């Protein structure tokens, strides 16, 4: 047993009914380092971590932590031993205060009572250390997703752990917040804490990693010091092939205006929004988190009450009261919160694929099961979705494959307009590139597409034009020739009106 | 993991099975006397399990033991449909006779129909339509006209002793719509009138579902409102005791006015001894149960309904009356 | 055991339990395994079974309906009052009716639909927990029944009683009604847009909404269907007993129905329900009820066994579902 590693995982195998998620993988983490796990979605990184902290038992294999063989039966055991984890999917208690969430289950006590004051004070101190401006008494539900993420990080750090696992911690953070997080990580490293970091963002990874391990399809591929690796080399290791163009933009003819939005108002985050969208066009929406991009799309899609303004499709005014109306008008929306309002986890890949087409009444009564199977299989094939069978519950699929099923769901409704909100969040490089080419292909077929993305290179790569939003207003609309990170950033952070 | 679950479940199923087998085996070894062999098993269906009906049940059970007959009790939980299912199941099991305490006296024809060739003994709750009774269908119970009559006669005597002919009463009704409630209330008022007392209800009609707590809750506000009354009449002891508790709560002396109940339950008899309950009427639950069992045997063996009992039948011969008996401080000791 | 076989066993566990119970009962008391007794068993479980199919729909959407027993009683009393003979002294509605059975049955079903629609609208539009909304509905319906009539409604017309106690060629009509409801429930959940929408709503109502499902409308329809089941149950109850009792008819039936649906694998966390499973749940409870009476087990022990089976079924179910999620 070498003292060089704080954690060693050997030959870890994890089987789910019908699936072998981990096929004997390894991981060795040195104390006081950031060890990044990389791999496409479904490569087994999250599963490996779940096995480590006792959410799921390993089928076989050996875990050595601080020189002793361990097998945690619950996250509580792992926490007690000094391993905490920030999950990719947040699970805050929305109705309780920030402080309550941080100290959940281990509230400081004064006799039998909870010491509220100590809770709040400790919280403030932690927040100060992280440069976070938050009232510990604020209710969790009033926070933005980014702030919730920060609270989650504070919570994980507060355990004084020897290992902190961060699963895509920056997916909802702004750049400033990411910088804060990296400072914290540096602090932790200095104290000898090991960080296991899961991310898909290349620049981040090379900025903070000491070691990188790569996994693919449940197998261990390679592990090396970060300085020995390059971005190209990493991508090659991850996908087992070279990806030449991340954003394969295929220029295609742009036609008439399909969607025209005029002076749309729907609450604080949608104020006087106007833009139009043409056939065959990919319209990017850029802006900071909380700029109102998602809310604008929800308003168009009938999920948010529109107070004033008009929406026209093909010259006809639309009166959309609910998503059903939008779908009947051939508009589709791939939401940003895949688990929250995208998939129905319990239901099969098939039902998740066909549900919207089914709502349109396209399968008759009794339902045409053969057609449903045919449709599902068609898009599984087209989108190269990986699933054990079409009857597998969608929850058993990796994030990227779930996303593909949802894309298939919308394509089955034959949309003229497809709105995709953060389509590649939490998705690996390979799947990302596939989704980008798919968007281009759809535009080529004459569909009009709106892409919301917080990754600037992504919007700039796929879009024909970019609408930039700031605090509920459209602050600028750019043509492809004008695209630059600086200009987008300028509009995203100012109220100034750009070209309309 | 799954094997464990499977094993646990199988074990549970086995346990149920063994329990069942055990019971059925036991049933075969029973039946020492000849009568037991003739009559076979009997299902006794009760409307629900309250104190009174449980006493009735033990009357039937003990009588059955003497005969070497196995009686199985089923609680219909006041549900007619469940009761009918029990009747049909008894028929399927090949029983010769079934004893039924109906939740709803209107449903007697359905019971008789469901019983098919089985004989039926209704107990405690008289069928609404007595024309269903015949040589195969009998009733065993107490004549509810008597219970109220005893209460009325006692109160008339009491008030005559005070030279009072006009009184105000509070009347605690049982469950409205039940025959027993209707008859008890009607007969006590009738008896007061027949004995020359003009009685007026001091409150709006009270329905307390034969329940002690309900009665207590209903009567409390009347006391707070200083309602004037000369006596409290209750359709059963439980409600009368609820009234006594309510009086005590407002520091009124329950012995200062006559409170009358029916059933002579354990609590009721104690209250009579304490003087808080002026009188109660003994309804012979045990006698009804034992009588019903004897009647069931008599029907199967073709005897007269009252044979081997200390009770009498009515003029039709299809009803076996188990008499009510008034209980006061004088004779309460006899009922312990 | 290979994993496929394990899966098959785990998916059909309740059917295995049912078969095991039937075998045990038949050995302990051969008369259990007779056509006559099967008829008795099914007749007895039909009413609660119909309610179970109804309440399973509500549970599928993460809801519940506690009002069904009481609304069945209310509808039994009202429809019963409309078919009492004109010359009956204790007639609840003097001078009204008797109306033809078919008209009365339609009135009853309409009442059930209206009660269900009100429950559904409250649950869907106020987001009130179904437990609370329908608990209120239960109290109101029960009280309404008692206000409507203080004594049992009897002497019901034969044509009205046909569904509950009639026979076609010696076969009880009530079982046929039960089978029809089973087929309808199966068809609705497996072969219609509405049914599939319920699975999506129960699984993730937010996702269902985005997928284009009108969640509120579907919830209202769900509770209308539950109300229709309750109405049918009420009519059958009155028909079978020949009397509708405002205080006791259908009392606690909702709990038995919920138990059957639950034993049948309907998940209270929503999104999981098999109509065939519910049928199996109904039969399991029926076999226990009927078999233990035949064997001569005192009903207190019957209830203990039922209690164990219900809790065990849910425990099993929860294990299965946590594994999936």
């Amino acid at each position: 047993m070498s003292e060089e590693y704080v954690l060693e995982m050997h030959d870890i195998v994890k089987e789910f009914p019908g699936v072998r998620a981990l096929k004997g993988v390894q991981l060795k983490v040195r104390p006081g380092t950031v060890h990044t796990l990389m791999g496409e979605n479904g490569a087994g990184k999250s599963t490996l971590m779940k096995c480590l902290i006792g959410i799921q038992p390993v089928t076989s294999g050996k875990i050595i932590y601080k020189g002793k063989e361990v097998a945690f039966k619950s996250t509580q055991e792992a926490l007690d031993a000094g391993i905490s984890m920030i999950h990719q999917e947040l699970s805050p208690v929305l109705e309780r205060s920030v402080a309550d969430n941080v100290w959940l289950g281990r509230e400081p006590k004064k006799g039998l009572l909870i010491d509220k004051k100590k809770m709040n004070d400790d919280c403030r101190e932690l927040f100060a250390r992280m440069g976070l401006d938050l009232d510990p008494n604020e209710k969790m539900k009033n926070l933005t997703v980014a702030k919730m993420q920060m609270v989650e990080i504070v919570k994980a750090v507060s355990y004084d752990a020897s290992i902190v696992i961060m699963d895509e911690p920056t997916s909802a953070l702004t750049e400033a917040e990411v910088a804060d997080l990296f400072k914290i990580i540096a602090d932790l490293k200095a104290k000898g804490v090991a960080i296991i970091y899961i991310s898909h963002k290349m620049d981040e990874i090379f900025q903070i990693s000491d070691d990188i391990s790569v996994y693919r399809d449940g197998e261990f591929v390679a592990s090396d010091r970060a300085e020995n690796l390059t971005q190209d080399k990493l991508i090659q290791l991850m996908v087992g092939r070279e990806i030449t163009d991340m954003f394969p933009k295929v220029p295609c003819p742009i036609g008439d205006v399909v969607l025209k939005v005029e002076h749309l108002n729907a609450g604080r985050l949608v104020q006087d929004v106007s833009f139009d969208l043409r056939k065959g066009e990919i319209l990017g929406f850029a802006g900071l988190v909380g700029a109102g991009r998602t809310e604008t799309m929800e308003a168009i899609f009938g999920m948010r009450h529109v107070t004033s303004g008009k929406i026209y499709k093909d010259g006809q005014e639309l009166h959309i009261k609910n998503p059903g109306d939008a779908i009947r008008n051939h508009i589709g929306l791939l939401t940003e919160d895949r688990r929250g309002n995208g998939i129905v986890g319990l239901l099969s890949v098939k039902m998740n694929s066909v549900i919207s087409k089914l709502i349109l009444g396209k399968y008759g009564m009794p339902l045409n099961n053969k057609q449903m199977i045919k449709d599902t299989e068609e898009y599984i094939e087209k989108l190269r979705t990986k699933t054990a069978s079409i009857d597998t519950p969608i929850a058993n699929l990796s994030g990227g494959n779930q996303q593909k099923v949802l894309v298939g769901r919308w394509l089955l409704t034959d949309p003229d307009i497809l709105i995709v909100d953060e389509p590649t969040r939490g998705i690996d490089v390979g799947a990302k590139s596939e989704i980008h080419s798919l968007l281009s292909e759809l535009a080529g077929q004459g569909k009009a597409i709106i892409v919301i993305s917080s990754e600037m290179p992504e919007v700039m790569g796929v879009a024909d034009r970019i609408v930039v939003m700031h605090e509920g207003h459209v602050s600028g609309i750019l043509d492809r020739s004008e695209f630059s990170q600086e200009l987008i950033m300028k509009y995203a952070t100012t109220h100034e009106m750009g070209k309309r | 993991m799954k094997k464990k679950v499977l094993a646990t479940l199988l074990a549970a199923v086995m346990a149920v099975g063994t329990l069942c087998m055990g019971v059925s085996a036991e049933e075969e070894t029973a039946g020492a006397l000849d009568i037991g062999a003739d009559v076979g098993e009997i299902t006794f269906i009760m409307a629900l399990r309250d104190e009174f009906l449980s006493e009735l049940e033990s009357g039937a059970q003990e009588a059955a033991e003497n005969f070497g007959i196995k009686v199985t009790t089923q609680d219909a939980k006041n549900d007619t449909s469940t009761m009918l299912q029990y009747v049909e199941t008894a028929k399927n099991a090949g029983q010769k006779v079934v004893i039924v305490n109906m939740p709803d006296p209107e449903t007697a024809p359905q019971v008789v129909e469901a019983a098919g060739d089985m004989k039926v003994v209704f107990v405690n709750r008289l069928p609404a339509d007595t024309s269903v009774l015949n040589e195969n269908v009998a009733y065993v119970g107490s004549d509810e006209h008597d219970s109220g009559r005893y209460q009325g006669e006692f109160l008339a005597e009491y008030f005559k002793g005070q030279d009072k002919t006009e009184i105000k009463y509070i009347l605690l009704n049982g469950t409205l719509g039940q025959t027993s409630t209707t008859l008890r209330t009607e007969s006590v008022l009738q008896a007061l009138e027949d004995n020359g007392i003009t009685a007026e209800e001091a409150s709006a009609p009270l329905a307390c579902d034969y329940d002690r707590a309900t009665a207590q809750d209903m009567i409390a506000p009347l006391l707070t409102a200083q309602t004037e009354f000369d006596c409290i009449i209750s359709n059963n002891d439980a409600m009368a005791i609820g009234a006594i508790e309510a009086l005590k709560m407002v520091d009124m002396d329950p012995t200062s006015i006559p409170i009358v109940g029916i059933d002579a339950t354990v609590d009721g008899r104690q209250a009579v001894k304490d003087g808080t309950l002026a009188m109660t009427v003994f309804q012979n639950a045990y006698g009804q149960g034992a009588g019903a069992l004897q009647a069931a045997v008599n029907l199967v063996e073709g005897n007269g309904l009252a044979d081997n009992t200390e009770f009498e039948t009515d003029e039709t011969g299809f009803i076996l009356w188990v008499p009510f008996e008034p209980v006061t401080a004088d004779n309460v000791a006899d009922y312990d | 055991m290979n994993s496929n076989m394990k899966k098959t066993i785990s998916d059909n566990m309740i059917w295995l339990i049912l078969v095991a119970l039937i075998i045990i009962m038949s050995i302990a008391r051969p008369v259990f395994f007779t056509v006559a007794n099967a008829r008795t068993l099914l007749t007895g479980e039909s009413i609660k079974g119909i309610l179970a199919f109804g309440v399973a729909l509500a549970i599928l959407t993460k809801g519940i309906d506690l009002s069904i027993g009481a609304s069945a009683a209310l509808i039994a009393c009202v429809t019963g009052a409309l078919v009492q003979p004109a010359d009956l002294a204790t007639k609840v509605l003097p001078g009204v009716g008797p109306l033809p059975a078919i008209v009365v049955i339609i009135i009853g079903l309409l009442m059930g639909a209206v009660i269900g629609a009100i429950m559904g609208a409250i649950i869907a539009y106020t987001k009130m927990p179904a437990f609370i909304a329908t608990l209120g509905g239960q109290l109101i319906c029960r009280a309404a029944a008692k206000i409507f009539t203080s004594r049992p409604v009897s002497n019901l017309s034969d044509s009205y009683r046909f569904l509950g106690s009639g026979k076609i060629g010696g076969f009880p009509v009530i079982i046929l009604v039960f089978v029809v409801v089973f087929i309808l429930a199966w068809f609705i959940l497996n072969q219609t847009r509405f049914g599939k929408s319920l699975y999506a709503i129960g699984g993730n109502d937010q996702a269902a909404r985005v997928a284009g499902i009108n969640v509120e409308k579907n919830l209202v329809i769900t509770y209308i269907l539950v109300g229709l089941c309750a109405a049918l149950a009420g009519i059958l109850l009155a028909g079978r007993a020949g009397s509708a009792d405002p205080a006791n008819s259908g009392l606690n039936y909702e709990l038995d129905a919920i138990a059957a649906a639950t034993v049948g694998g309907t998940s209270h966390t929503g999104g999981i329900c098999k109509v065939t499973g519910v049928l199996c749940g109904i039969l399991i409870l029926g076999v226990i009820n009927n078999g233990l009476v035949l064997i001569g087990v005192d009903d207190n022990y019957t209830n203990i066994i039922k209690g164990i089976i219900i809790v065990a079924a849910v425990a099993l179910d929860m294990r299965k579902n946590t594994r999936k999620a």
Side-chain angles (χ1 to χ4, degrees), chain B residues 45-48 75-86 101-104 107 125, chain C residues 44 47-48 237 240-241 245 248-253 256:
Chain B
I45 303 161
M46 51 206 279
L48 76 168
D75 177 0
K77 298 185 194 69
N78 260 344
D79 179 32
T80 299
S81 185
T82 306
M83 169 192 72
L84 290 174
Q85 203 189 353
Y86 286 143
N101 166 233
M102 285 178 290
D104 174 0
T107 55
R125 294 210 182 146
Chain C
I47 296 171
K48 287 173 183 172
L237 261 175
R240 174 155 155 77
D245 179 344
N248 293 320
S249 282
L251 194 64
N252 295 335
Y253 271 38
D256 285 318

Side-chain angles (χ1 to χ4, degrees), chain A residues 301 303 322-324 327 335 339-344 346-347 351 355-356 358-359 361 365-367 396 409-410, chain C residues 3 187 190-193 196-197 199-200 203-204 206-214 270-272 323-325:
Chain A
F301 199 64
M303 289 166 69
N322 54 45
I327 295 168
T335 58
R339 284 230 308 204
N341 57 17
I343 62 166
V344 183
L346 287 167
L347 296 187
M351 277 321 298
I355 185 77
S356 290
L358 192 142
I359 296 310
M365 193 178 90
L367 297 171
N396 290 2
R409 173 198 291 178
W410 289 118
Chain C
S3 75
F187 185 84
N190 290 291
Q191 295 296 335
T192 69
R193 254 200 285 187
K196 293 299 174 191
S197 301
Y199 284 100
N204 181 345
Q206 292 302 317
R209 195 182 305 276
V210 174
I213 294 169
N214 188 330
I272 302 173
R323 219 171 33 228
K324 265 184 196 161

Side-chain angles (χ1 to χ4, degrees), chain A residues 92-390:
Chain A
V93 186
L94 294 176
E95 290 297 330
R96 305 299 298 272
S97 74
V98 168
D100 285 343
N101 269 278
V102 171
W103 303 115
L104 189 70
R106 52 188 179 117
E107 293 84 354
K109 297 266 173 75
K110 211 189 219 167
L112 282 173
L113 298 175
I114 290 171
D115 189 347
K116 259 239 128 85
K117 188 171 172 302
K118 183 166 163 43
M119 240 164 91
N120 286 344
D121 290 349
D122 288 0
C123 231
R124 278 201 196 89
E125 194 195 311
L126 280 165
F127 288 164
R129 239 168 73 197
M130 301 200 39
L132 192 59
D133 176 28
L134 255 184
D135 178 2
N137 287 313
E138 183 72 64
K139 273 214 177 140
M140 204 68 179
K141 67 174 175 189
N142 297 333
L143 269 49
T144 60
V145 175
K147 288 272 163 55
M148 284 187 198
Q149 184 92 43
M150 291 302 277
V151 171
E152 200 76 6
I153 292 167
V154 167
K155 184 175 167 182
V157 169
S158 70
Y159 281 97
D160 288 326
S162 306
I163 298 180
V164 178
I165 304 163
M166 301 186 178
D167 193 356
E168 304 256 2
T170 60
S171 57
L173 300 189
T174 62
E175 284 185 28
E177 287 166 326
V178 171
D180 283 335
L181 175 66
F182 286 178
K183 260 187 272 167
I184 297 162
I185 290 178
D187 268 8
L188 292 172
K189 262 173 72 170
K191 284 190 203 156
V193 176
I195 316 281
I196 300 178
Y197 196 87
I198 303 178
S199 174
H200 293 298
K201 297 184 184 167
M202 287 290 180
D203 46 345
E204 270 178 36
I205 289 164
F206 282 103
Q207 200 179 331
I208 60 165
S209 302
D210 297 298
D211 300 323
I212 299 177
S213 291
V214 180
Y215 302 87
R216 185 170 67 225
D217 294 333
E219 286 177 81
F220 173 75
V221 178
S223 186
D224 206 340
R225 299 282 147 90
E227 59 262 30
N228 299 339
L229 291 163
T230 64
Q231 182 163 337
D232 288 345
K233 174 81 179 142
L234 257 187
I235 292 175
Q236 208 183 330
L237 286 172
M238 279 165 60
V239 299
R241 62 181 184 273
E242 301 228 20
I243 291 177
T244 44
D245 192 357
M246 273 289 281
F247 307 110
K249 175 74 192 162
V250 185
C252 46
I254 290 177
D256 299 333
V257 171
V258 206
L259 181 75
K260 189 168 186 63
V261 174
E262 281 185 348
H263 308 294
L264 192 69
N265 282 288
R268 190 177 62 81
L269 287 175
V270 185
Q271 295 181 39
D272 196 31
V273 171
S274 301
F275 66 89
D276 53 35
L277 172 69
R278 290 167 177 274
K279 207 166 155 49
E281 179 182 45
I282 299 182
L283 183 62
F285 265 71
L288 301 176
V289 171
R293 296 169 298 168
T294 299
E295 290 75 10
T296 303
M297 298 312 146
E298 286 177 353
I300 293 170
F301 199 64
M303 289 166 69
R304 194 169 274 272
H305 181 65
V306 174
T307 46
S308 68
K310 290 195 164 97
I311 300 167
Y312 300 92
K313 180 166 174 270
D314 298 324
Q316 299 276 325
E317 190 177 348
L318 298 184
H319 297 280
I320 292 173
K321 301 239 166 5
N322 54 45
D325 289 344
I327 295 168
R328 276 182 284 277
N329 282 300
H330 298 277
I331 302 176
L333 169 65
L334 189 67
T335 58
E336 97 188 281
D337 187 0
R338 191 173 57 239
R339 284 230 308 204
N341 57 17
I343 62 166
V344 183
L346 287 167
L347 296 187
S348 64
V349 168
K350 181 179 86 181
M351 277 321 298
N352 272 287
S353 296
V354 301
I355 185 77
S356 290
K357 184 171 176 184
L358 192 142
I359 296 310
L360 293 175
K362 292 286 165 67
Y363 293 111
M365 193 178 90
L367 297 171
N368 185 342
N369 193 38
K370 260 190 200 147
Q371 187 62 40
M372 292 198 281
I373 293 172
K374 198 174 144 229
D375 285 350
T376 308
E377 283 174 344
E378 181 185 336
Y379 279 93
I380 283 184
E381 201 172 312
K382 271 192 187 161
L383 303 176
R384 276 173 286 167
T385 314
K386 279 181 213 151
T387 173
S389 86
I390 63 170

Side-chain angles (χ1 to χ4, degrees), chain B residues 14-313:
Chain B
M14 298 296 205
V16 174
T18 340
L19 175 61
C20 304
M21 309 276 213
V23 173
S24 68
E26 186 185 311
E27 148 225 324
E28 272 150 35
T29 57
L33 292 176
D34 282 358
I35 292 173
D38 274 2
V39 178
E41 282 174 46
I42 298 180
T43 300
F44 169 39
I45 303 161
M46 51 206 279
L48 76 168
R49 265 205 168 87
D50 60 11
E51 188 187 344
F52 180 85
L53 289 173
S54 298
E55 175 77 7
L56 195 153
E57 180 195 357
S58 49
Q61 288 285 6
E62 282 172 34
E65 249 170 62
N66 292 336
F67 287 129
I69 296 174
K70 178 176 163 56
V71 167
T72 311
T73 312
Q74 302 295 344
D75 177 0
K77 298 185 194 69
N78 260 344
D79 179 32
T80 299
S81 185
T82 306
M83 169 192 72
L84 290 174
Q85 203 189 353
Y86 286 143
V87 174
E88 279 183 30
T89 310
K91 179 180 70 181
N92 292 341
Q95 292 184 19
K96 291 177 185 151
V97 59
V98 64
I99 302 174
V100 184
N101 166 233
M102 285 178 290
D104 174 0
E106 297 281 358
T107 55
Q110 281 67 253
V111 175
V112 174
E113 194 194 324
D117 294 337
M118 266 193 310
K119 307 204 186 283
V120 180
V121 176
F122 291 112
V123 65
N124 184 257
R125 294 210 182 146
L126 182 66
D129 178 6
T130 47
S131 69
V132 299
L133 302 179
N134 55 39
E135 53 280 357
N136 293 317
V137 182
Y139 174 70
V140 177
S142 303
D143 189 350
E144 291 288 2
H145 293 95
D146 290 342
S147 58
R149 184 167 56 78
Y150 284 127
Q151 285 183 317
E153 285 169 1
F154 174 86
L155 289 173
E157 191 96 346
Y158 176 89
F159 288 119
K160 275 180 192 157
Q162 298 193 340
D163 287 331
K164 254 183 158 172
T165 54
E166 288 186 10
I167 61 153
K168 285 186 169 176
Y169 64 88
I170 289 176
L171 203 157
L172 303 172
N173 285 292
T175 307
L176 289 184
Q178 277 187 12
T179 322
S180 59
T181 308
T182 318
L183 291 181
R184 286 174 187 190
T185 297
E186 273 174 16
S187 59
V188 64
L189 297 179
Q190 186 64 46
L192 283 170
E193 196 184 318
D194 290 350
N195 287 284
I197 303 283
T198 314
E200 187 193 341
E201 188 154 16
S203 67
L206 306 173
C208 311
D209 296 335
Y210 289 113
D211 182 59
R212 179 167 167 164
T214 311
Q216 189 173 349
D217 292 344
M218 297 268 262
I219 213 163
L222 295 177
L223 300 177
T224 329
Q226 308 273 324
T227 310
E228 280 182 32
F229 58 94
D230 302 301
C231 63
I232 297 175
I233 304 166
S234 173
N235 281 167
N236 77 346
D237 284 352
M239 294 189 294
I241 289 165
I244 291 167
E245 294 298 326
L247 288 171
K248 285 181 183 164
M249 287 290 278
V250 294
D251 291 328
M252 283 175 70
D253 180 6
T255 59
S256 64
I257 49 146
I259 301 172
V260 294
I262 294 177
D263 283 349
T265 59
V266 176
D267 287 355
R269 296 196 305 269
Q270 185 58 44
V272 170
K273 283 181 203 159
D274 296 346
T276 50
L277 189 63
M279 70 93 67
T280 179
V281 181
F282 176 64
Q283 182 174 195
N284 191 348
Y286 190 91
Q288 286 185 14
L293 201 277
Q294 182 64 56
V297 171
N298 286 344
L299 284 185
V300 174
E301 308 229 300
N303 304 335
L305 195 59
D307 289 5
N308 300 319
T309 71
E310 47 191 292
F311 312 124
E312 287 171 12
T313 62

Side-chain angles (χ1 to χ4, degrees), chain C residues 221-298:
Chain C
I221 297 174
T222 303
Y223 284 89
I224 288 177
L225 290 177
V226 183
L228 285 173
C229 287
L232 194 53
I235 291 162
L236 294 174
L237 261 175
R240 174 155 155 77
S243 162
D245 179 344
N248 293 320
S249 282
L251 194 64
N252 295 335
Y253 271 38
E254 61 279 356
L255 301 182
D256 285 318
I258 291 166
T262 307
V263 169
T266 311
S267 164
H268 286 252
T269 48
I272 302 173
C273 173
K274 272 167 118 179
V275 179
T276 48
V278 177
L279 175 68
C280 187
I282 294 163
L283 295 178
I284 286 179
L285 294 182
V287 166
I288 296 170
N289 282 335
N290 173 284
L292 296 188
V293 172
L294 275 183
I295 290 166
V297 176
D298 190 283

Side-chain angles (χ1 to χ4, degrees), chain C residues 119-143:
Chain C
M119 298 275 93
I122 292 173
I123 293 161
Y125 293 102
T126 69
K127 316 278 179 221
M128 187 187 292
F131 185 90
I132 300 300
T134 59
L135 181 63
Q138 181 195 76
L139 295 173
I140 293 168
C141 286
R142 182 62 69 186

Side-chain angles (χ1 to χ4, degrees), chain A residues 489-500:
Chain A
M489 213 53 215
K490 190 178 131 205
Y491 286 135
T493 50
T494 58
H495 223 87
E496 197 178 317
M497 196 60 97
K499 182 185 147 194
R500 308 257 5 197

